[in-house]
Amino acid sequence: MKPVVLKIHLDTPVVCVYGDQLPDPSNTAPAAHQQQQEQLSGTVELSLRTATRIQSVSVTLFGEQITRLPPHTATTVATTARCIADIAHSPPLLAGPSSSSSSNAERYPAGTHMFPFRFPPLPGNLPTSTVLSFGHTRYTVRAKVITVSGLRRTEYLAQEEPLALVRCPQPGSEWAFRVFDALHVSTHWEDRIQVTLAHATCALLADTAATLAVTFEPMEKRFSLVSLHAVLRETQCALGGSSPSSAVVVNHRESHTVARAHVDLAQDGTGIGDNTTFDLALRVPRPLGRAGTQYSCASATSRVTHRLVVTAVLRSPDGAVVEITLPSRVWVLPHQAVDGREELEEGTVGLPRYQNTGGDRLVETARRGSSMGSDGGLVPLDLPPYSLPVCLSCGKEDVSVLECRTAIFHRSRMSENASIEDLCVQET
């Protein structure tokens, strides 16, 4: 056994920084919401073989960002490296006098000693951890102990502990409204059948199975579903520009599939009735793991985006085979990202979005909270005749005003005394 062994134990391997999607380099102050969230914390374990005088124990968060362009090339590779974080825990876990004399160092008996630490909220300009084909953004926690024996000072370093740092939407920000808005995509084929994709939010939580509800509304009988599958694709872009104020230039782009899901159907297809819904269980892999998936993020040097594509192959009553595709933009985020989701609705009216299916029967397709089905699917609501709302500005009838293109964007921020027509006027 070595005379001194130093180890780092983190309370959580993932720490979130809340703010805008694109970090502001000048924003070194933590966001207000972050004060209420988990912070970088853990314990430094110090094992001593014999009684030892310890002068100091310190811990530091270090971050580096490396970009290599073009990737996968053995020659003419331009490598850019920069330090993005070097934050020492203040005060040190143990701080003695600066003198190297052993008489000024505290004596610790042989055995194991624990030094807990907790960093204050991290700066708001830190980019998300990534491991890309053309570089990486990486954070590690480092610890150091200084021992004193006579006039000799000896430094011992702990093995660096990796930390995943993820930017998440600041509650109330534009990014938060886009991420936590309900996913609702609908299309139709020749006015003969309508297909709708719905999910509680546009955020897909990492290392979790997301239930995607796909609803079919045929206008005629004898439609059958031949296949139904979903693909989650990730696009990584290396960005650049001649100056901070210049336009963003994409120096490199590559895309790959990170998750798939499908519904098992009969060999000859499955018949579709009125409002037939199928659930797709899409398992989102854990980012920064062996699958190579990343969190959705953006920085001055790179961007990672995710796109969900649901494809349905149908057979029409006359035998024609039709392929219908429903693409949508989604964000892959950690579970901590939804901690402040309920705060988005403070002081606002949480209105649902409905889809009219005829006969005064609506299907609720997007409402935050417990009104969604327990499986995240659609909730049918029977309403009495003539009770469907009408937008007085655009004349949209028989559906919720939230189907209005101008109202959807503002629905989460509508004040309690605002009228529906006021929302449409804001965009005109």
Side-chain angles (χ1 to χ4, degrees), residues 67-90:
T67 304
R68 303 182 184 91
L69 292 175
H72 311 307
T73 304
T75 59
T76 65
V77 176
T79 301
T80 303
R82 65 189 186 101
C83 174
I84 55 177
D86 191 359
I87 306 171
H89 187 280
S90 181

PDB file of all heavy atoms in Angstrom, residues 67-90:
ATOM      1  N   THR A  67     -10.816  20.707 -30.394  1.00  0.00           N
ATOM      2  CA  THR A  67     -11.430  20.544 -31.710  1.00  0.00           C
ATOM      3  C   THR A  67     -10.349  20.151 -32.709  1.00  0.00           C
ATOM      4  O   THR A  67      -9.302  20.801 -32.776  1.00  0.00           O
ATOM      5  CB  THR A  67     -12.105  21.836 -32.171  1.00  0.00           C
ATOM      6  OG1 THR A  67     -13.063  22.247 -31.187  1.00  0.00           O
ATOM      7  CG2 THR A  67     -12.819  21.634 -33.501  1.00  0.00           C
ATOM      8  N   ARG A  68     -10.611  19.090 -33.463  1.00  0.00           N
ATOM      9  CA  ARG A  68      -9.683  18.623 -34.495  1.00  0.00           C
ATOM     10  C   ARG A  68     -10.395  18.635 -35.837  1.00  0.00           C
ATOM     11  O   ARG A  68     -11.398  17.940 -36.008  1.00  0.00           O
ATOM     12  CB  ARG A  68      -9.183  17.211 -34.189  1.00  0.00           C
ATOM     13  CG  ARG A  68      -8.496  17.059 -32.845  1.00  0.00           C
ATOM     14  CD  ARG A  68      -8.001  15.633 -32.655  1.00  0.00           C
ATOM     15  NE  ARG A  68      -7.422  15.428 -31.326  1.00  0.00           N
ATOM     16  CZ  ARG A  68      -8.106  15.024 -30.279  1.00  0.00           C
ATOM     17  NH1 ARG A  68      -9.401  14.787 -30.400  1.00  0.00           N
ATOM     18  NH2 ARG A  68      -7.526  14.848 -29.105  1.00  0.00           N
ATOM     19  N   LEU A  69      -9.892  19.409 -36.781  1.00  0.00           N
ATOM     20  CA  LEU A  69     -10.485  19.498 -38.104  1.00  0.00           C
ATOM     21  C   LEU A  69      -9.411  19.340 -39.169  1.00  0.00           C
ATOM     22  O   LEU A  69      -8.332  19.926 -39.057  1.00  0.00           O
ATOM     23  CB  LEU A  69     -11.201  20.840 -38.290  1.00  0.00           C
ATOM     24  CG  LEU A  69     -12.456  21.049 -37.462  1.00  0.00           C
ATOM     25  CD1 LEU A  69     -12.976  22.463 -37.648  1.00  0.00           C
ATOM     26  CD2 LEU A  69     -13.524  20.035 -37.825  1.00  0.00           C
ATOM     27  N   PRO A  70      -9.692  18.600 -40.247  1.00  0.00           N
ATOM     28  CA  PRO A  70     -10.868  17.725 -40.406  1.00  0.00           C
ATOM     29  C   PRO A  70     -10.705  16.441 -39.605  1.00  0.00           C
ATOM     30  O   PRO A  70      -9.581  16.033 -39.360  1.00  0.00           O
ATOM     31  CB  PRO A  70     -10.881  17.433 -41.910  1.00  0.00           C
ATOM     32  CG  PRO A  70      -9.444  17.497 -42.283  1.00  0.00           C
ATOM     33  CD  PRO A  70      -8.820  18.571 -41.418  1.00  0.00           C
ATOM     34  N   PRO A  71     -11.788  15.822 -39.180  1.00  0.00           N
ATOM     35  CA  PRO A  71     -11.678  14.600 -38.387  1.00  0.00           C
ATOM     36  C   PRO A  71     -11.285  13.410 -39.251  1.00  0.00           C
ATOM     37  O   PRO A  71     -11.426  13.436 -40.471  1.00  0.00           O
ATOM     38  CB  PRO A  71     -13.091  14.429 -37.823  1.00  0.00           C
ATOM     39  CG  PRO A  71     -13.966  15.080 -38.833  1.00  0.00           C
ATOM     40  CD  PRO A  71     -13.171  16.227 -39.391  1.00  0.00           C
ATOM     41  N   HIS A  72     -10.842  12.337 -38.603  1.00  0.00           N
ATOM     42  CA  HIS A  72     -10.503  11.082 -39.262  1.00  0.00           C
ATOM     43  C   HIS A  72      -9.430  11.262 -40.328  1.00  0.00           C
ATOM     44  O   HIS A  72      -9.382  10.515 -41.292  1.00  0.00           O
ATOM     45  CB  HIS A  72     -11.749  10.445 -39.901  1.00  0.00           C
ATOM     46  CG  HIS A  72     -12.916  10.363 -38.980  1.00  0.00           C
ATOM     47  ND1 HIS A  72     -12.864   9.804 -37.731  1.00  0.00           N
ATOM     48  CD2 HIS A  72     -14.186  10.806 -39.127  1.00  0.00           C
ATOM     49  CE1 HIS A  72     -14.045   9.880 -37.151  1.00  0.00           C
ATOM     50  NE2 HIS A  72     -14.854  10.488 -37.969  1.00  0.00           N
ATOM     51  N   THR A  73      -8.589  12.253 -40.216  1.00  0.00           N
ATOM     52  CA  THR A  73      -7.546  12.480 -41.213  1.00  0.00           C
ATOM     53  C   THR A  73      -6.198  12.467 -40.518  1.00  0.00           C
ATOM     54  O   THR A  73      -6.005  13.136 -39.507  1.00  0.00           O
ATOM     55  CB  THR A  73      -7.752  13.825 -41.929  1.00  0.00           C
ATOM     56  OG1 THR A  73      -9.067  13.838 -42.486  1.00  0.00           O
ATOM     57  CG2 THR A  73      -6.728  14.001 -43.037  1.00  0.00           C
ATOM     58  N   ALA A  74      -5.265  11.729 -41.082  1.00  0.00           N
ATOM     59  CA  ALA A  74      -3.968  11.569 -40.433  1.00  0.00           C
ATOM     60  C   ALA A  74      -3.077  12.784 -40.622  1.00  0.00           C
ATOM     61  O   ALA A  74      -2.149  13.009 -39.852  1.00  0.00           O
ATOM     62  CB  ALA A  74      -3.278  10.319 -40.959  1.00  0.00           C
ATOM     63  N   THR A  75      -3.297  13.547 -41.685  1.00  0.00           N
ATOM     64  CA  THR A  75      -2.445  14.707 -41.961  1.00  0.00           C
ATOM     65  C   THR A  75      -3.293  15.968 -42.041  1.00  0.00           C
ATOM     66  O   THR A  75      -4.515  15.919 -42.180  1.00  0.00           O
ATOM     67  CB  THR A  75      -1.707  14.507 -43.291  1.00  0.00           C
ATOM     68  OG1 THR A  75      -2.667  14.342 -44.342  1.00  0.00           O
ATOM     69  CG2 THR A  75      -0.800  13.281 -43.234  1.00  0.00           C
ATOM     70  N   THR A  76      -2.621  17.101 -41.950  1.00  0.00           N
ATOM     71  CA  THR A  76      -3.245  18.433 -42.051  1.00  0.00           C
ATOM     72  C   THR A  76      -4.441  18.570 -41.107  1.00  0.00           C
ATOM     73  O   THR A  76      -5.498  19.044 -41.489  1.00  0.00           O
ATOM     74  CB  THR A  76      -3.681  18.739 -43.486  1.00  0.00           C
ATOM     75  OG1 THR A  76      -4.726  17.833 -43.871  1.00  0.00           O
ATOM     76  CG2 THR A  76      -2.516  18.626 -44.450  1.00  0.00           C
ATOM     77  N   VAL A  77      -4.256  18.120 -39.900  1.00  0.00           N
ATOM     78  CA  VAL A  77      -5.314  18.249 -38.894  1.00  0.00           C
ATOM     79  C   VAL A  77      -5.039  19.494 -38.055  1.00  0.00           C
ATOM     80  O   VAL A  77      -3.977  19.631 -37.452  1.00  0.00           O
ATOM     81  CB  VAL A  77      -5.394  17.011 -37.989  1.00  0.00           C
ATOM     82  CG1 VAL A  77      -6.432  17.213 -36.903  1.00  0.00           C
ATOM     83  CG2 VAL A  77      -5.720  15.776 -38.817  1.00  0.00           C
ATOM     84  N   ALA A  78      -6.003  20.401 -38.046  1.00  0.00           N
ATOM     85  CA  ALA A  78      -5.885  21.615 -37.236  1.00  0.00           C
ATOM     86  C   ALA A  78      -6.496  21.350 -35.871  1.00  0.00           C
ATOM     87  O   ALA A  78      -7.708  21.109 -35.761  1.00  0.00           O
ATOM     88  CB  ALA A  78      -6.589  22.781 -37.922  1.00  0.00           C
ATOM     89  N   THR A  79      -5.693  21.368 -34.841  1.00  0.00           N
ATOM     90  CA  THR A  79      -6.149  21.084 -33.474  1.00  0.00           C
ATOM     91  C   THR A  79      -6.177  22.361 -32.655  1.00  0.00           C
ATOM     92  O   THR A  79      -5.185  23.095 -32.608  1.00  0.00           O
ATOM     93  CB  THR A  79      -5.242  20.055 -32.795  1.00  0.00           C
ATOM     94  OG1 THR A  79      -5.245  18.848 -33.565  1.00  0.00           O
ATOM     95  CG2 THR A  79      -5.730  19.751 -31.392  1.00  0.00           C
ATOM     96  N   THR A  80      -7.319  22.609 -32.045  1.00  0.00           N
ATOM     97  CA  THR A  80      -7.482  23.768 -31.178  1.00  0.00           C
ATOM     98  C   THR A  80      -7.849  23.285 -29.787  1.00  0.00           C
ATOM     99  O   THR A  80      -8.799  22.524 -29.623  1.00  0.00           O
ATOM    100  CB  THR A  80      -8.581  24.709 -31.704  1.00  0.00           C
ATOM    101  OG1 THR A  80      -8.269  25.103 -33.038  1.00  0.00           O
ATOM    102  CG2 THR A  80      -8.699  25.941 -30.825  1.00  0.00           C
ATOM    103  N   ALA A  81      -7.085  23.711 -28.798  1.00  0.00           N
ATOM    104  CA  ALA A  81      -7.336  23.315 -27.413  1.00  0.00           C
ATOM    105  C   ALA A  81      -7.403  24.557 -26.534  1.00  0.00           C
ATOM    106  O   ALA A  81      -6.613  25.485 -26.702  1.00  0.00           O
ATOM    107  CB  ALA A  81      -6.247  22.375 -26.908  1.00  0.00           C
ATOM    108  N   ARG A  82      -8.362  24.566 -25.629  1.00  0.00           N
ATOM    109  CA  ARG A  82      -8.458  25.691 -24.711  1.00  0.00           C
ATOM    110  C   ARG A  82      -9.058  25.236 -23.394  1.00  0.00           C
ATOM    111  O   ARG A  82      -9.852  24.283 -23.342  1.00  0.00           O
ATOM    112  CB  ARG A  82      -9.298  26.829 -25.299  1.00  0.00           C
ATOM    113  CG  ARG A  82     -10.758  26.511 -25.520  1.00  0.00           C
ATOM    114  CD  ARG A  82     -11.449  27.620 -26.292  1.00  0.00           C
ATOM    115  NE  ARG A  82     -12.882  27.413 -26.416  1.00  0.00           N
ATOM    116  CZ  ARG A  82     -13.793  28.011 -25.681  1.00  0.00           C
ATOM    117  NH1 ARG A  82     -13.407  28.862 -24.739  1.00  0.00           N
ATOM    118  NH2 ARG A  82     -15.073  27.788 -25.856  1.00  0.00           N
ATOM    119  N   CYS A  83      -8.656  25.900 -22.346  1.00  0.00           N
ATOM    120  CA  CYS A  83      -9.181  25.623 -21.014  1.00  0.00           C
ATOM    121  C   CYS A  83     -10.482  26.402 -20.837  1.00  0.00           C
ATOM    122  O   CYS A  83     -10.527  27.614 -21.069  1.00  0.00           O
ATOM    123  CB  CYS A  83      -8.164  26.013 -19.956  1.00  0.00           C
ATOM    124  SG  CYS A  83      -8.777  25.877 -18.257  1.00  0.00           S
ATOM    125  N   ILE A  84     -11.543  25.721 -20.452  1.00  0.00           N
ATOM    126  CA  ILE A  84     -12.837  26.381 -20.277  1.00  0.00           C
ATOM    127  C   ILE A  84     -13.249  26.461 -18.817  1.00  0.00           C
ATOM    128  O   ILE A  84     -14.225  27.123 -18.480  1.00  0.00           O
ATOM    129  CB  ILE A  84     -13.936  25.658 -21.084  1.00  0.00           C
ATOM    130  CG1 ILE A  84     -13.994  24.173 -20.716  1.00  0.00           C
ATOM    131  CG2 ILE A  84     -13.715  25.841 -22.576  1.00  0.00           C
ATOM    132  CD1 ILE A  84     -15.096  23.419 -21.415  1.00  0.00           C
ATOM    133  N   ALA A  85     -12.502  25.780 -17.949  1.00  0.00           N
ATOM    134  CA  ALA A  85     -12.831  25.849 -16.516  1.00  0.00           C
ATOM    135  C   ALA A  85     -11.611  25.432 -15.704  1.00  0.00           C
ATOM    136  O   ALA A  85     -10.934  24.453 -16.030  1.00  0.00           O
ATOM    137  CB  ALA A  85     -14.014  24.953 -16.178  1.00  0.00           C
ATOM    138  N   ASP A  86     -11.326  26.177 -14.678  1.00  0.00           N
ATOM    139  CA  ASP A  86     -10.289  25.833 -13.697  1.00  0.00           C
ATOM    140  C   ASP A  86     -10.719  26.467 -12.381  1.00  0.00           C
ATOM    141  O   ASP A  86     -10.243  27.518 -11.978  1.00  0.00           O
ATOM    142  CB  ASP A  86      -8.923  26.347 -14.148  1.00  0.00           C
ATOM    143  CG  ASP A  86      -7.791  25.785 -13.298  1.00  0.00           C
ATOM    144  OD1 ASP A  86      -8.087  25.016 -12.355  1.00  0.00           O
ATOM    145  OD2 ASP A  86      -6.621  26.099 -13.572  1.00  0.00           O
ATOM    146  N   ILE A  87     -11.674  25.789 -11.723  1.00  0.00           N
ATOM    147  CA  ILE A  87     -12.364  26.345 -10.561  1.00  0.00           C
ATOM    148  C   ILE A  87     -11.945  25.580  -9.325  1.00  0.00           C
ATOM    149  O   ILE A  87     -12.233  24.381  -9.189  1.00  0.00           O
ATOM    150  CB  ILE A  87     -13.891  26.279 -10.745  1.00  0.00           C
ATOM    151  CG1 ILE A  87     -14.303  26.943 -12.072  1.00  0.00           C
ATOM    152  CG2 ILE A  87     -14.607  26.914  -9.567  1.00  0.00           C
ATOM    153  CD1 ILE A  87     -15.751  26.734 -12.421  1.00  0.00           C
ATOM    154  N   ALA A  88     -11.254  26.253  -8.431  1.00  0.00           N
ATOM    155  CA  ALA A  88     -10.826  25.630  -7.181  1.00  0.00           C
ATOM    156  C   ALA A  88     -11.895  25.801  -6.113  1.00  0.00           C
ATOM    157  O   ALA A  88     -12.547  26.849  -6.022  1.00  0.00           O
ATOM    158  CB  ALA A  88      -9.506  26.245  -6.709  1.00  0.00           C
ATOM    159  N   HIS A  89     -12.108  24.752  -5.347  1.00  0.00           N
ATOM    160  CA  HIS A  89     -13.042  24.836  -4.223  1.00  0.00           C
ATOM    161  C   HIS A  89     -12.477  25.790  -3.186  1.00  0.00           C
ATOM    162  O   HIS A  89     -11.332  25.659  -2.744  1.00  0.00           O
ATOM    163  CB  HIS A  89     -13.266  23.457  -3.610  1.00  0.00           C
ATOM    164  CG  HIS A  89     -14.329  23.423  -2.571  1.00  0.00           C
ATOM    165  ND1 HIS A  89     -14.121  23.843  -1.267  1.00  0.00           N
ATOM    166  CD2 HIS A  89     -15.632  23.022  -2.626  1.00  0.00           C
ATOM    167  CE1 HIS A  89     -15.222  23.699  -0.582  1.00  0.00           C
ATOM    168  NE2 HIS A  89     -16.156  23.194  -1.370  1.00  0.00           N
ATOM    169  N   SER A  90     -13.275  26.780  -2.821  1.00  0.00           N
ATOM    170  CA  SER A  90     -12.813  27.777  -1.868  1.00  0.00           C
ATOM    171  C   SER A  90     -13.773  27.827  -0.664  1.00  0.00           C
ATOM    172  O   SER A  90     -14.990  27.942  -0.851  1.00  0.00           O
ATOM    173  CB  SER A  90     -12.733  29.160  -2.532  1.00  0.00           C
ATOM    174  OG  SER A  90     -12.271  30.131  -1.626  1.00  0.00           O
TER     175      SER A  90
END
